[in-house]
Amino acid sequence: MKSSPSTPTHPLALLALDGLLGDEEREIRATVRAAADRELRPHVAGWFEKGEIPARELARTLGGLGVLGMHLEGYGCAGTSAVAYGLACMELEAVDSGLRSLVSVQGSLAMYAIWKHGSEEQKQRWLPKMAAGEYIGCFGLTEPDAGSDPGAMRTNAKRDGSDWILNGTKMWITNGSVADVAVVWARTEEGVRGFLVPAGTPGFSAPEIKMKLSLRASVTAELVLDDVRLPADAVLPGARGLSGPLGCLNEARFGIVFGALGAARDCLETAISYAKDRTVFDRSLASYQLTQQKLADMAVELGKGMLLALHLGRLKDAGELTPEQISVGKLNNVREAIAIARECRTLLGANGITLEYPVLRHANNLESVLTYEGTSEVHSLVIGKALTGEQAFR
Ligand code: TGC
Ligand code: FAD
């Protein structure tokens, strides 16, 4: 005789992980989740289908919510813990990786670069309005022929009197065509340096990249710099060498460690609910052992990923997090999130391929997440170098 079903446990409640969060962290998470469910989730499938987002309106909404540069201190930023920032990323990515991308690039890349390396004047000029979502920023590191190896960049800046002249092309730049300011990394006689390029500067253009099958609810653009003349005060005074941009990547990669789990959680919640409702061969799909094996494996990976994210977050809040540890988190959590999204898709059968359900949208988005902010191969090599002391990049 079959026993009657008991009350289901949420996958993340299985390990009672909420007990590891502080009250303020739980409150921030609840606020972001409620706002995301109210203002973003109802529209996201439509944005994805059209391949268009109302970027300005979204930036203001996210600024109003306080998530833009939320882990930074001063200049209109909230100064929250790293864990709180991670949880916000998770809630945003539970809606769509593209929305978390907007926030990552604005707060952890463009704002962080200015906050960390900018002059006081640059910080006052850009940060408060970026925190409010009135200005949008982008971060141009990748080039058509220099992605995993940014040290091979060709974009260059040459001095002309006290001015700088920039030439080159950046590729795959999130927020690029809607940005008010682009943080552009260029080769100079003094090594790699960062420049603030305001939109509308003569010689600067940002054509949007279309026909994407992933991150369709996100703006991606090329940045073209054709003899762009910038004044002396456009350079970020605090950044010299490749460690400048790579240090910014640590911030955004950390957000992804949490964010990717949001997408995975949304897929798993959807799959569990679907499996309980769907009847196959006269019984609920959820009642079959093969289904439960899939769900159990996914819940275990989601819980392990969450433990890892929280551990890294606590290390970051203690000022002890290393780039190699971030690589462990980014590699594992994105790899598991994409595996979960793909497995959930199988449980939804044909319904899984539509935008009626979020799973294939998440899986497609996670293809980008697997590649950007350091590909899974790059993070494996970072970990391999830490383990052996030998670099295998070149
Ligand atoms: P290498 O010789 O190892 O290092 C050059 C200098 O940089 C320092 N460094 C770091 N500093 C801070 N944080 C890190 N994670 C760092 N990694 C290296 C290093 O100490 C050295 O400093 P110094 O003072 O001695 O000069 O550099 P390499 O050329 O061998 O490259 C290493 C490698 C492959 C790990 C690195 O280039 C890399 O991470 N490649 C991946 C590139 C990448 O992730 N690009 C992302 C672009 S932005 C983006 O994708 C945004 S997506 C949108 C979104 O986030 O939503
Ligand atoms: P490549 O570097 O050409 O890599 C191709 C393949 O080779 C990968 O599998 C890679 O892992 C592998 N590979 C590379 N080196 C090695 C090696 N040494 N050993 C073994 N295998 C190797 N960049 C920005 O600067 N700013 C942004 O805002 C931004 N937003 C993005 C948004 C989207 C939607 C996407 C898809 C990308 C974005 N990027 C951005 C670019 C992203 O960071 C790069 O795509 C990424 O760093 C990989 O570079 P690549 O695409 O040139 O691939």
Side-chain angles (χ1 to χ4, degrees):
M1 201 177 91
K2 210 170 170 304
S3 62
S4 59
S6 55
T7 312
T9 303
H10 186 276
L12 284 173
L14 205 55
L15 292 177
L17 295 181
D18 267 14
L20 299 177
L21 303 179
D23 289 344
E24 192 179 313
E25 289 162 351
R26 274 195 287 263
E27 272 167 35
I28 290 173
R29 181 183 63 178
T31 304
V32 177
R33 184 181 297 183
D37 282 346
R38 189 178 59 243
E39 298 185 39
L40 307 175
R41 194 178 284 281
H43 309 291
V44 75
W47 294 334
F48 188 98
E49 188 172 35
K50 276 200 203 125
E52 277 172 25
I53 53 166
R56 277 219 169 261
E57 197 184 314
L58 268 177
R60 288 205 183 93
T61 302
L62 294 164
L65 190 57
V67 295
L68 301 177
M70 68 186 269
H71 62 306
L72 306 179
E73 291 280 351
Y75 307 98
C77 305
T80 67
S81 70
V83 169
Y85 170 58
L87 293 169
C89 287
M90 190 170 171
E91 294 309 321
L92 294 168
E93 195 148 358
V95 179
D96 195 272
S97 304
L99 303 172
R100 195 269 308 136
S101 259
L102 194 164
V103 170
S104 290
V105 169
Q106 176 88 346
S108 285
L109 294 180
M111 289 177 73
Y112 180 80
I114 298 170
W115 183 85
K116 177 80 179 163
H117 301 297
S119 66
E120 188 54 34
E121 207 176 29
Q122 290 168 338
K123 292 178 195 183
Q124 296 288 357
R125 177 174 177 196
W126 296 107
L127 292 179
K129 289 197 167 160
M130 291 173 87
E134 285 171 39
Y135 286 163
I136 298 177
C138 70
F139 183 91
L141 180 62
T142 305
E143 300 188 355
D145 296 317
S148 298
D149 181 12
M153 73 173 69
R154 292 195 191 140
T155 298
N156 62 80
K158 296 199 169 105
R159 284 190 191 272
D160 183 32
S162 65
D163 289 350
W164 290 92
I165 310 288
L166 269 67
N167 279 290
T169 306
K170 297 291 174 180
M171 193 67 182
W172 305 113
I173 307 305
T174 301
N175 297 350
S177 55
V178 293
D180 298 282
V181 61
V183 176
V184 172
W185 299 95
R187 181 182 295 290
T188 76
E189 280 183 351
E190 308 147 18
V192 170
R193 302 209 61 183
F195 295 85
L196 301 182
V197 184
T201 304
F204 175 67
S205 58
E208 191 172 350
I209 297 172
K210 291 290 197 182
M211 298 177 80
K212 291 180 297 176
L213 297 172
S214 172
L215 277 211
R216 291 179 56 77
S218 170
V219 173
T220 317
E222 209 178 322
L223 305 183
V224 181
L225 300 122
D226 184 9
D227 279 334
V228 171
R229 179 177 289 274
L230 295 173
D233 63 5
V235 71
L236 293 172
R240 274 170 204 256
L242 210 50
S243 61
L246 293 182
C248 301
L249 299 186
N250 294 332
E251 299 297 306
R253 289 169 177 173
F254 171 78
I256 291 173
V257 173
F258 278 83
L261 299 177
R265 184 192 75 200
D266 196 48
C267 290
L268 188 50
E269 284 174 351
T270 304
I272 291 172
S273 154
Y274 186 89
K276 287 179 68 61
D277 288 347
R278 177 77 176 172
T279 299
V280 291
F281 295 98
D282 303 327
R283 265 166 48 200
S284 92
L285 177 59
S287 70
Y288 289 90
Q289 289 185 344
L290 280 176
T291 304
Q292 294 197 5
Q293 167 109 63
K294 289 182 183 181
L295 296 177
D297 285 347
M298 290 190 283
V300 168
E301 288 309 329
L302 185 64
K304 281 156 64 180
M306 196 64 212
L307 276 169
L308 176 57
L310 284 171
H311 175 61
L312 298 185
R314 298 294 174 219
L315 286 175
K316 188 165 182 354
D317 279 325
E320 291 170 7
L321 187 63
T322 66
E324 293 77 20
Q325 291 165 340
I326 298 174
S327 285
V328 173
K330 205 259 178 186
L331 174 66
N332 183 76
N333 285 8
V334 178
R335 186 164 66 187
E336 295 308 326
I338 200 167
I340 288 172
R342 289 169 179 160
E343 189 80 298
C344 287
R345 212 291 304 154
T346 68
L347 285 169
L348 269 72
N351 279 318
I353 73 153
T354 72
L355 274 171
E356 291 293 318
Y357 294 90
V359 290
L360 192 59
R361 175 168 56 78
H362 282 308
N364 278 8
N365 285 339
L366 288 165
E367 292 290 343
S368 288
V369 183
L370 197 65
T371 287
Y372 67 33
E373 290 292 353
T375 64
S376 49
E377 292 81 5
V378 160
H379 290 294
S380 296
L381 293 174
V382 170
I383 297 165
K385 182 179 169 193
L387 293 174
T388 64
E390 303 201 30
Q391 71 86 8
F393 295 106
R394 20 181 91 76

